[in-house]
Structure formats: structure tokens, C-alpha cells
Amino acid sequence: MSATGIGAAVRRKEDQRFITGKGQYTDDISRPGETRALFVRSPHAHAKIKKIDTAAAQKMPGVVAVLTGEQLAADKIGHLICGWMIHSKDGSPMKMAPHPAIASGKVCYVGDPVALVVAETLAQAKDAAEKVAVDYEPLAAVVDPAKAKAGAQIHEVAPGNTIYEWHLGDAKAVDAAFRSARHVTKLDIVNNRLVPNAMEPRVAIGEYDAGNDSLTLWNTSQNPHVARLVISAFIGMAPEHKLRVIAPDVGGGFGSKIFIYPEEVACLWASKRTGRPVKWTSDRSEAFLADAHGRDHLTHAEMAFGPDGKILALRAKTIANLGAYMSTFSSSVPTYLYATLLSGQYDIAHIYCEVDAVYTNTVPVDAYRGAGRPEATFVVERLIEVGAREQGMDPAELRRKNFVKSFPHQTPVIMTYDAGDYNASLKKAMEIADVKGFAKRRRDAARNGKLRGLGYSTYIEACGIAPSQAVGSLGAGVGLWESAEVRVNPTGSVEILTGCHAHGQGHETTFAQVVADRLGIPIENISVVHGDTDKVQFGMGTYGSRSGAVGISAIVKALDKVEAKAKKVAAHMLEAAERDIVFKDGKFTVAGTDKAAAWGDVALNAYIAHKFSGQELEPGLKEGAFYDPTNFTFPAGCHICEVDVDQETGETRIVNWTAVDDFGTVINPMIVEGQVHGGIAQGVGQALLEGAVYDKDGQLVSGSFMDYAMPRAENFPPFNVGTTVTKCPSNPLGIKGCGEAGAIAAPAAVINAITDAIGSEEVTMPATAQTVWRALQKANRLRPAAE
């Protein structure tokens, strides 16, 4: 292994500009003649718009324009879409309601945009926005997803506020398995709604160039090419070749910046109407009201066991709250990203899942770190943990008994697991966590008035989101391949153009490591270009832990082509047959001789055209590739959480955390460990602290950091992180993906630990001190201070 190649803990190249304040984020960009935009948003969750009077606002100082939904519709700007078609059990398509960038006639959630004020300064826009008079007729709000079908109808296209009633699996086989069960575990589970809260709020700058009738959008996007495609082909803002989308440095996404949002469309439209660049920057309060939320499932789940503890079957019925409108990928999250993972790491013969997706008068819900996989893992891992307790079995042994042990393994819910060793991760995690010493630590904690508990989460996820054939057959509107281009300059330096997008993952380092390892050149001689649709070929972006498994695989394919051509050049230089050329460690040699040529010499000769006169060899050294995998990748692992619960207050403190993950080939272990840490932090945030709460009128009462608790350093112990390795057989480097694992595993580990500590299963997320204290009181079971 080289000092900067695959497997090396190389410091991130991009951090130099970030930690010195030299990063360029969208809000750092200012265009000549730029104006500032402010959205007037609905204070009602559900209301008719009777009238909008903008006359007073338009007379305010500095105002350039005040625009409404009626004008947007008059300009024939299309609606935002959901790009993944789901069909109900009866075969009917999902009920996608119209979603204009600016509401017209009706608002459907608090924060729905009703007007756009464009002014010379932000202060002037704010002053003018207060003069926009909107006459509303309030309507009954639908907030509780469990009551959505009986609530006031939100959209005409969706009777009973039902988007789809979907299912997966064999219901009859599952029912038969349950009838033969010795024991059945039943749980009602709430997967709480979350606000993404990326460090950088969303920003959009729209600029119209009248000279060539083109538009440019600078935005905080995880997938600029998809944004361009949707805004051009479906919303109809401009032909695709007349729309450029640039996503510069992005300060975190976690899924929330995948989607096409109303503000981006509105800024482009406003720029074309006014002839001026239009910039909108969200503030944090606005982000709570306007960024897509995550999770929000209500589930009843059951697991059937045989007499030996073997899992016979699982069934689940989930109500998924998708909010007021369907977001870009929202339909897929509670269906094919959720139900297909309900087998977990276990060999379960029969699974059946029903999902009812409903509209409510709340912020739209879409993918958030893990997207469906955390929800599935929480269901499975809570069921098996509680099942073990109810049957008087050791939770680790029950898991081990039911692990998938041979591969490939076909689950009853579509997925084919290709490789893994789940017992190895469990065994290593138990050793690191010193599970054998837990009983003593529990007794010691009791002497200090604490209740100590230990919880497992043995998770699996399907990521490297692709392959196109599979997702296309399941309703995806686009293929999920990835593209790459490798440009070798005459001096031998290399530029990598990727359709992936970096917003914290460290692509500029890890992608360069792969190239350095392959070509034998210094990592400093490699640059990575992404995020600009005019510079980079079409690509699908970054989400679903796909950048390594899919994005790097595309780079490897392009490198294969570069090496093949470079060997032709080297053969000409060294006057040898191409088949005799060997390339290793940055040097081309002729097998069996001392003839050699350095990488830089070959690169230079590739651009000296006259040297190839009369040969079928084009000058230059640049190759592109598209990579479409044949299967998902399946990272898996075991996380073990150990907690102390104060029996007087219900406060939970995590005292130990062990994470052992199988990510296949690891490009940069330092970056991977950082991804695991971040994922755990977000998963713990969901389990202990975070929760978006609406009142009965649809007002977000947790709309600031005063009311929405985020995890802090004090909430975590040092993490004990380890790995096991089984390589993914479906991509060239054996990569599986790592970015979401912590967020997937953590919630179940925390809740399993808390319920183990207090002896009650009635703990919902977030497990705040009040929630845990109430569960303790209801159980009427306080352990003695000492045993």
C-alpha cells in the first residue's frame, strides 16, 4: 500500500480551504446587478387564498418586483414533480397533487410560498414583504397521519388524502407462518419526524442572460444534473442546453439537498422576468419551515418465532406521512428503500409489508440520511430484541441463530444479498464492547443509583443506489448509473470529472487516492472537478452512499481505457508490441527487458501528434466512462450501545459505544471513521433528542433550536470503531459504501439499551428524560440501588 493510495489514511485535500475560510459556498457568490429575494409564506397550514394585494409592497423603496403564483401560472411554469412512480395494490398510480413553486388559490402547509418580493437589498425586501396583504380563508388542518384518511381533503386528486396503498411480499404465506408460530412479538413503533438542519442553509441564485437566452442557477444541490433535467424537462423553465446549474462547495446535505425546491424555480423565473440576477438565502427559521423533513412513520409490526427461536415470518403495516406535497423522491423512501430491507441480517422465509402514504398539512417529507433503511432497521431490531426478552433468550444468541450464513441470499422482499459475514461483526463488536463484563458494570452502576442497559443493532443497508434496470422496474424515472472522465494533461497531471457531488464526503481526496494508486503519480498532481453542468458530463449526483461504489467504479472504468491507450503510446515509444507493455508504479516497461518510459513521458508523447503519423492512434489521453452496477451493495455491521439511566429523572447518558462495520474495501480509513462518527451522532440525535412537533392547527412548534434539540459533544462518549471486510463482488474495487451506516444502526441500539435498563418497552423516540421517566413510572418498576 502506498502512502497516498487505496487504504491510506490521507488527510483531506479540501480541508485546507475549508478550515482557512477559503471555501466558496453559494451565498459567497455575488453577481453583477444582483437583487435579493424574500418569500412571503403562509401562516396557515390549510387555507384558500382569496386575494393577494401587492400594490403597497410594489411602491416600497428598492422594490424591483412582487410576484405571485397567478403570474407564475400565466407564464406557464410547470409544477414540481416526484420522480419515482409507485402503484397501489389495485394497480392504480400514486396520486401526485399539483405543486406550484408559488401557491395559487390554496396553501397546504405553514411556510408554503405565496409571493416573492425582489428588491435591491434584503432589508428592503423584508420591509416590502410586510406590505403584501393576503386574504386567507382558513380550512381545517390535517396533521396526524393516523387520522389523515378521515380528515379534510387536501388535494382533489387524492381522496382520503391517500397517495398510495402499497404492499410487498406474500400475505398468505406470512399468515400461514404466523399460525404455526410458537411465539409472536408485537410492537407499535413511531419513527419520529426529523428536520435535517445541514450546517449551510439552502441558497439559490437565478441569472438570466438575454444575450443568448440562457439561465444559470447556483444552488446548494447534491445532484446538479438532475436539478437541470427536472427544471428543464418537467417544469419547463428553459431547454436543457440553455440551463446551467452550478453547485459549488456545499455545507452538508444529508439528503435534504437532493430535491428540487420551489425557491430555485422561483429565482430563475424572477430573474427572467426582471432581467436581473435574483438571490435567495434561507435563514434558519425558514429552513425549519421550508426544507424537506425526514422519517415520520407509524408502524405496527409483528415477528413470528418457531420453537427453537428461528424467525418464521415478519409483517408490518406502516402509515407514511409525506406532508403537503410529494417531493422529488419521497414516494420511494417508505416503499422500495424501506420494505426491501425488512429481512435485516436474518434468514426470514416470509415477509409482508403494507404501506399507506398520506398527505397532511405539514412540510413535505423526503429522504434523510439513510432514507428508509433506518426505519426498516428500527422495526427489525426492536422486534428481535423484544422477542429475545419475551422468550428469555440472549439477544446476541437469537441474532446469531437467525443470521444469513450463505451467499448469495435471496430475501422474500426483492433484495439479493451478495456477500457478508454478520457473525464476524457481532463477535468483534462484543469483544470490543466487553459484553462479558457488562453484568459487573451494571452492578456498579446500580450502586451509584443508575440503571444500566445494553442494546444491540445488527443492521444491513442496500446502497450504492442503482442499478438502473432494477430501480427502473420499480418505478424510478431515471437510471442511477454514474459517469466519469479522466483527462491526462501533457505534463502527466490528471483531472477527474465526476457526476458525483461532494458536500462533506471527501471526494477530492478519496477519488484522487484511487487515481494515484492506479497511475503511480503523486496525489498532488490530481484534481477532482464536480458540481457544474457546463464542465462535467451528465451524472446522477451523491446520495444513498453511492459515490464510492458507483462513482469511483466509473472512474476505474475510465482509468482502464486511459491505461489501454497509454500502453499503445508506450509501445510506439519503446518500439515494442503492445502486448509486451507492462504498467506498474507509474512506469511502462517492456516485459523481459530494461526498456522503460515514465508516466509523464508517455503523457507528453500522447499529445505529440506527428509521432503517430500513419498509425491508427488519435492524439491525446482523455477517456470517459459510464458505470451501471448489476446489484446494490450491502454494508452491514453491529453497533452496541451502553447507557446509564437516572431512575429519579429519566435522563439517559451513553457511556460506551462500539461500532463494527463491513464496508468492503476502504479507500481512506480516516474519512470512513469520520463518516461513521457523524452517522452515529445523527442517529443518536433521533433516538434521544430530535423531533419535529406540530400542534393540531398545523403550526410547527419545534421551529427553532430553542425547541428542537440537536445533539452536542456532551451527548457522546468516545466511539470504539472497528471493521470487518467482505468485498462487494459487483464492482471493480469491492466497495460497499459507508456514509449512512451510523444513522441506520444507532436509533435501535439506543432504544434497545434504554429499554434494557429500565425494564419497559414503552419508550418512543425521542427518548427524552420526560419520556423515559414516564415509562419508568408506568412500569412501576424501579430497580434497587444495589443488588
Side-chain angles (χ1 to χ4, degrees):
M1 181 182 72
S2 73
T4 59
I6 294 173
V10 179
R11 288 191 177 186
R12 297 188 353 155
K13 295 173 64 178
E14 49 270 69
D15 284 351
Q16 174 64 29
R17 70 176 186 274
F18 292 146
I19 64 177
T20 58
K22 302 301 183 183
Q24 186 179 57
Y25 300 89
T26 308
D27 193 51
D28 294 325
I29 296 168
S30 295
R31 302 299 300 162
E34 180 178 276
T35 61
R36 300 303 298 268
L38 189 80
F39 287 88
V40 179
R41 299 184 181 274
S42 170
H44 300 283
H46 197 197
K48 292 180 180 178
I49 301 174
K50 297 174 68 176
K51 182 182 179 182
I52 299 179
D53 186 350
T54 64
Q58 292 184 32
K59 296 176 182 176
M60 293 291 289
V63 170
V64 176
V66 182
L67 304 173
T68 66
E70 287 187 1
Q71 293 167 296
L72 184 83
D75 284 354
K76 296 182 169 47
I77 303 301
H79 294 158
L80 282 75
I81 65 159
C82 176
W84 197 304
M85 174 54 70
I86 298 295
H87 289 85
S88 290
K89 302 171 192 174
D90 62 5
S92 62
M94 65 188 189
K95 307 301 188 292
M96 182 168 64
H99 184 188
I102 301 176
S104 177
K106 186 179 181 182
V107 292
C108 294
Y109 67 98
V110 173
D112 212 350
V114 296
L116 172 60
V117 178
V118 180
E120 298 293 347
T121 68
L122 181 59
Q124 290 172 330
K126 289 181 177 180
D127 289 342
E130 294 181 1
K131 299 295 184 179
V132 176
V134 185
D135 186 7
Y136 295 99
E137 181 185 324
L139 303 171
V142 179
V143 179
D144 184 349
K147 300 176 180 178
K149 292 188 177 183
Q153 186 157 327
I154 299 171
H155 301 292
E156 291 183 7
V157 300
N161 296 317
T162 300
I163 300 168
Y164 52 73
E165 295 178 332
W166 177 86
H167 69 157
L168 182 66
D170 187 336
K172 290 183 179 179
V174 167
D175 289 344
F178 269 84
R179 287 194 294 270
S180 68
R182 184 187 68 84
H183 178 81
V184 175
T185 293
K186 301 179 180 181
L187 287 175
D188 289 308
I189 293 169
V190 177
N191 210 288
N192 44 321
R193 176 184 279 241
L194 304 175
V195 180
N197 285 317
M199 186 178 294
E200 176 201 24
R202 288 190 297 112
V203 184
I205 305 171
E207 182 172 16
Y208 176 64
D209 184 342
N212 58 20
D213 191 29
S214 66
L215 286 162
T216 300
L217 171 67
W218 287 265
N219 68 342
T220 46
S221 175
Q222 296 178 221
N223 49 358
H225 279 98
V226 174
R228 184 180 69 165
L229 174 64
V230 172
I231 293 171
S232 63
F234 296 95
I235 298 173
M237 183 61 62
E240 195 170 7
H241 68 291
K242 292 287 188 178
L243 174 61
R244 180 183 184 183
V245 178
I246 303 171
D249 290 330
V250 173
F254 314 115
S256 69
K257 293 174 182 173
I258 299 172
F259 324 122
I260 289 80
Y261 282 98
E263 295 85 2
E264 298 161 355
V265 175
C267 285
L268 285 169
W269 170 65
S271 178
K272 192 168 185 178
R273 281 188 67 106
T274 63
R276 302 271 299 278
V278 176
K279 180 178 185 177
W280 168 77
T281 300
S282 171
D283 61 28
R284 186 59 63 182
S285 295
E286 199 170 17
F288 273 92
L289 293 175
D291 291 3
H293 291 178
R295 315 288 192 251
D296 209 347
H297 285 192
L298 302 175
T299 299
H300 177 76
E302 301 179 359
M303 183 174 278
F305 295 90
D308 58 351
K310 181 76 175 87
I311 302 171
L312 303 179
L314 181 152
R315 59 189 173 201
K317 175 66 182 288
T318 294
I319 299 173
N321 182 2
L322 297 191
Y325 303 102
M326 297 191 76
S327 181
T328 311
F329 293 113
S330 62
S331 59
S332 65
V333 175
T335 52
Y336 291 113
L337 298 181
Y338 163 67
T340 55
L341 274 302
L342 285 174
S343 192
Q345 295 185 6
Y346 311 114
D347 184 3
I348 305 176
H350 307 291
I351 298 174
Y352 180 65
C353 180
E354 298 175 279
V355 178
D356 292 354
V358 297
Y359 287 116
T360 61
N361 295 117
T362 61
V363 174
V365 176
D366 209 317
Y368 173 68
R369 197 171 191 170
R373 283 70 55 85
E375 295 92 318
T377 296
F378 193 77
V379 168
V380 176
E381 289 304 292
R382 286 293 290 134
L383 282 171
I384 198 163
E385 189 86 10
V386 175
R389 294 168 187 171
E390 290 177 345
Q391 297 175 85
M393 302 178 71
D394 179 80
E397 288 306 311
L398 183 59
R399 286 175 166 84
R400 187 177 285 115
K401 180 188 291 286
N402 285 283
F403 280 154
V404 172
K405 297 178 178 67
S406 63
F407 298 88
H409 173 79
Q410 178 63 55
T411 75
V413 280
I414 297 178
M415 295 298 181
T416 301
Y417 299 167
D418 53 10
D421 187 344
Y422 308 145
N423 187 57
S425 297
L426 174 63
K427 180 181 178 182
K428 187 171 183 178
M430 291 178 71
E431 291 171 355
I432 295 173
D434 185 22
V435 172
K436 289 182 180 179
F438 174 70
K440 180 182 182 301
R441 295 196 296 277
R442 172 175 267 179
R443 291 192 297 271
D444 292 343
R447 294 188 187 98
N448 294 318
K450 307 295 184 184
L451 304 177
R452 181 159 291 205
L454 184 143
Y456 296 87
S457 180
T458 50
Y459 76 95
I460 191 168
E461 57 168 323
C463 62
I465 296 298
S468 297
Q469 184 176 3
V471 298
S473 69
L474 302 178
V478 292
L480 293 180
W481 41 264
E482 196 46 81
S483 67
E485 185 177 313
V486 176
R487 296 178 181 174
V488 180
N489 297 316
T491 57
S493 62
V494 177
E495 297 170 26
I496 304 298
L497 286 78
T498 174
C500 296
H501 186 277
H503 37 277
Q505 293 85 354
H507 292 173
E508 293 176 36
T509 303
T510 53
F511 288 16
Q513 283 182 255
V514 171
V515 177
D517 192 84
R518 177 66 175 272
L519 300 182
I521 63 176
I523 196 171
E524 294 78 18
N525 291 359
I526 302 162
S527 62
V528 177
V529 181
H530 64 90
D532 186 336
T533 60
D534 271 14
K535 291 182 179 179
V536 178
Q537 68 288 336
F538 196 103
M540 298 310 299
T542 294
Y543 42 85
S545 301
R546 69 191 303 272
S547 295
V550 189
I552 286 180
S553 294
I555 294 171
V556 170
K557 279 191 68 176
L559 286 169
D560 289 342
K561 297 178 182 179
V562 166
E563 182 179 328
K565 184 172 182 182
K567 283 182 175 179
K568 294 179 186 291
V569 176
H572 176 79
M573 292 172 59
L574 300 172
E575 298 179 330
E578 184 184 334
R579 64 179 177 273
D580 293 333
I581 299 297
V582 177
F583 179 59
K584 185 179 180 181
D585 298 330
K587 183 184 292 186
F588 295 86
T589 58
V590 180
T593 75
D594 59 358
K595 289 184 175 182
W599 168 258
D601 293 334
V602 172
L604 179 60
N605 274 268
Y607 286 89
I608 303 176
H610 67 81
K611 291 199 173 187
F612 306 118
S613 178
Q615 298 189 39
E616 294 182 2
L617 186 61
E618 293 181 354
L621 197 52
K622 180 185 77 169
E623 298 290 346
F626 288 78
Y627 177 77
D628 198 350
T630 56
N631 196 2
F632 296 90
T633 68
F634 297 96
C638 176
H639 287 218
I640 300 176
C641 174
E642 195 169 325
V643 302
D644 274 346
V645 176
D646 188 314
Q647 53 190 320
E648 298 297 327
T649 66
E651 182 181 1
T652 298
R653 184 173 69 92
I654 298 173
V655 293
N656 290 304
W657 193 286
T658 300
V660 175
D661 302 286
D662 179 359
F663 297 135
T665 299
V666 172
I667 304 298
N668 186 316
M670 180 184 68
I671 288 177
V672 167
E673 185 169 337
Q675 288 285 322
V676 172
H677 286 193
I680 293 170
Q682 287 184 275
V684 169
Q686 174 174 14
L688 291 181
L689 300 162
E690 299 183 52
V693 179
Y694 285 88
D695 69 12
K696 62 181 179 61
D697 298 318
Q699 296 291 332
L700 182 64
V701 297
S702 56
S704 76
F705 289 142
M706 294 291 289
D707 304 293
Y708 187 97
M710 295 287 286
R712 303 183 180 196
E714 65 184 16
N715 299 117
F716 307 103
F719 299 129
N720 302 305
V721 176
T723 59
T724 58
V725 178
T726 59
K727 292 187 177 183
C728 173
S730 64
N731 64 64
L733 294 184
I735 299 170
K736 292 187 177 182
C738 67
E740 297 165 296
I744 292 168
V750 173
I751 300 303
N752 284 339
I754 293 172
T755 53
D756 177 58
I758 69 174
S760 170
E761 304 299 344
E762 296 190 24
V763 175
T764 57
M765 297 190 293
T768 61
Q770 184 183 60
T771 297
V772 175
W773 184 85
R774 285 177 173 171
L776 275 165
Q777 303 311 304
K778 187 172 182 179
N780 194 26
R781 182 179 179 275
L782 293 175
R783 288 194 179 98
E787 294 183 359

